[in-house]
Amino acid sequence: MAMTSFLHRNTYYAVIFVVFINLLTACSSTQFFYTFVNKFIQDEVEYFIDLNDEDKVLLSQQISEMVSYHRTSILPSYAIYLDEIAKNLDEVHDEKVLVNTTLTKGRSLIEQTILGLTPYASKFLIKYQTPEDIEFIKKKIKKRQEERLEEFLQSNETLYEDRVDRLTSNFERFFGTLNDEQITLLKAHAQATLGDAKTRFENRTMRQKIFIKFLQTEPKESELTAYLNKLLLRGHLLTNPSYEAFSEGSLMRFETLLVKMIANSSIDQRKVMIRKLRDYANDFKAVSEKT
């Protein structure tokens, strides 16, 4: 979803936490998403942690609890959020006010989501603090990092084209067919932010390293939860304080892009955005209320 694409995953555990937001908006059916999300999370965790059959059963139970919590306690907030964006698109004519309000509320929802889900992760991770467990995790992290690094070996032209394609696809999902001015805006944004992904990757790598070091201290469950919250929400305080400026700058650039994209939108495009946002909101409400 274009409105929430500023969400990013700070560590590989964040895949588990914010995958809900990233994937919900990529699916035509929220119920379809919830049908498969348990397996997706299970596969991700099993990749990074060496589990026996008993562990896998326990993990499956805890994932089900976490997904159920998210569906009933968090999803209704997303529905309200999307309804509010649709209402503002229909009534607010100052694009800067509209976008700033949307992103500010979005950041609050991210924090709410992470604070609600980290206890579930801690409850499971606390059982895997042996030197053997940690070494297995380190090897898997390194493998993922190497795979990601290969992507950065592509030419700038290829990276640029891929970035333009992703941006275009995300925005068309909500705007419908984009006009020439909007395509020009996306191309300029893609070029200006071409190196951002590498910066985020390097920052994520640092956070993964300090997380492993913390796990080696054999923290208590409450300590692990508190550390994960800080790492995911204010990780720059633990690694590189300068990253906060980069993150804020990145968000400001995206905010500017959104303002310009909406300012250059047609009446028909606004109608498409409003309709799709309300459709998602209704979908979220229906799924959250399902027993």
Side-chain angles (χ1 to χ4, degrees), residues 114-159:
I114 290 176
L115 293 175
L117 295 179
T118 48
Y120 291 93
S122 299
K123 184 178 181 180
F124 184 79
L125 288 172
I126 202 69
K127 301 176 176 64
Y128 302 95
Q129 299 183 8
T130 67
E132 293 77 18
D133 290 327
I134 293 174
E135 187 60 30
F136 186 87
I137 294 173
K138 286 171 64 176
K139 288 180 179 179
K140 289 294 189 174
I141 288 177
K142 184 178 180 180
K143 183 177 179 181
R144 275 283 174 91
Q145 289 172 347
E146 290 171 347
E147 292 171 355
R148 184 74 174 109
L149 275 172
E150 289 183 6
E151 297 178 27
F152 297 120
L153 296 177
Q154 300 178 86
S155 68
N156 284 340
E157 181 179 357
T158 298
L159 292 172

Side-chain angles (χ1 to χ4, degrees), residues 98-113:
L98 169 65
V99 171
N100 184 264
T101 301
T102 297
L103 295 186
T104 299
K105 178 63 175 178
R107 296 179 96 175
S108 176
L109 281 176
I110 294 169
E111 184 164 341
Q112 176 187 345
T113 301

Side-chain angles (χ1 to χ4, degrees), residues 239-251:
T239 54
N240 49 337
S242 64
Y243 187 77
E244 182 181 24
F246 166 81
S247 183
E248 291 298 324
S250 179
L251 182 57

Side-chain angles (χ1 to χ4, degrees), residues 33 42-43 53 55 61 88-89 112 118 120 141 153 162 178 183 185 235 244 259 271-272 279 282 288-289:
F33 165 78
Q42 180 111 10
D43 289 346
D53 290 341
D55 292 334
Q61 293 171 346
N88 289 338
L89 271 169
Q112 176 187 345
T118 48
Y120 291 93
I141 288 177
L153 296 177
D162 288 345
L178 302 178
I183 293 294
L185 286 169
E244 182 181 24
V259 169
K271 288 180 179 179
V272 169
D279 285 347
N282 290 333
S288 68
E289 294 168 357

Side-chain angles (χ1 to χ4, degrees), residues 54-70:
E54 184 178 345
D55 292 334
K56 291 178 182 179
V57 172
L58 177 61
L59 173 62
S60 179
Q61 293 171 346
Q62 293 185 340
I63 289 175
S64 294
E65 291 176 9
M66 184 175 70
V67 171
S68 177
Y69 161 78
H70 183 274

Side-chain angles (χ1 to χ4, degrees), residues 64-244:
S64 294
E65 291 176 9
M66 184 175 70
V67 171
S68 177
Y69 161 78
H70 183 274
R71 180 176 60 80
T72 59
S73 300
I74 303 296
L75 202 57
S77 297
Y78 296 166
I80 293 171
Y81 175 59
L82 296 181
D83 265 335
E84 288 177 350
I85 298 174
K87 182 175 183 293
N88 289 338
L89 271 169
D90 197 26
E91 299 176 358
V92 177
H93 301 292
D94 187 324
E95 288 83 7
K96 289 185 178 180
V97 172
L98 169 65
V99 171
N100 184 264
T101 301
T102 297
L103 295 186
T104 299
K105 178 63 175 178
R107 296 179 96 175
S108 176
L109 281 176
I110 294 169
E111 184 164 341
Q112 176 187 345
T113 301
I114 290 176
L115 293 175
L117 295 179
T118 48
Y120 291 93
S122 299
K123 184 178 181 180
F124 184 79
L125 288 172
I126 202 69
K127 301 176 176 64
Y128 302 95
Q129 299 183 8
T130 67
E132 293 77 18
D133 290 327
I134 293 174
E135 187 60 30
F136 186 87
I137 294 173
K138 286 171 64 176
K139 288 180 179 179
K140 289 294 189 174
I141 288 177
K142 184 178 180 180
K143 183 177 179 181
R144 275 283 174 91
Q145 289 172 347
E146 290 171 347
E147 292 171 355
R148 184 74 174 109
L149 275 172
E150 289 183 6
E151 297 178 27
F152 297 120
L153 296 177
Q154 300 178 86
S155 68
N156 284 340
E157 181 179 357
T158 298
L159 292 172
Y160 167 75
E161 290 175 353
D162 288 345
R163 181 107 171 93
V164 171
D165 287 344
R166 285 196 299 271
L167 284 168
T168 301
S169 177
N170 286 336
F171 275 94
E172 284 185 337
R173 186 175 293 121
F174 278 81
F175 281 65
T177 302
L178 302 178
N179 57 45
D180 291 343
E181 291 83 357
Q182 290 168 332
I183 293 294
T184 298
L185 286 169
L186 294 186
K187 288 181 176 179
H189 183 76
Q191 187 63 56
T193 59
L194 197 57
D196 286 8
K198 183 70 177 298
T199 300
R200 292 191 182 96
F201 169 77
E202 291 169 347
N203 178 72
R204 187 163 58 247
T205 299
M206 284 191 287
R207 296 188 186 195
Q208 289 168 345
K209 287 180 179 179
I210 66 166
F211 178 76
I212 290 298
K213 288 182 179 179
F214 179 76
L215 204 58
Q216 289 172 329
T217 67
E218 299 183 4
K220 297 178 181 178
E221 187 175 328
S222 60
E223 294 171 334
L224 182 54
T225 299
Y227 191 84
L228 281 172
N229 287 335
K230 187 172 184 178
L231 185 67
L232 294 172
L233 295 173
R234 293 165 184 83
H236 63 277
L237 297 176
L238 299 170
T239 54
N240 49 337
S242 64
Y243 187 77
E244 182 181 24

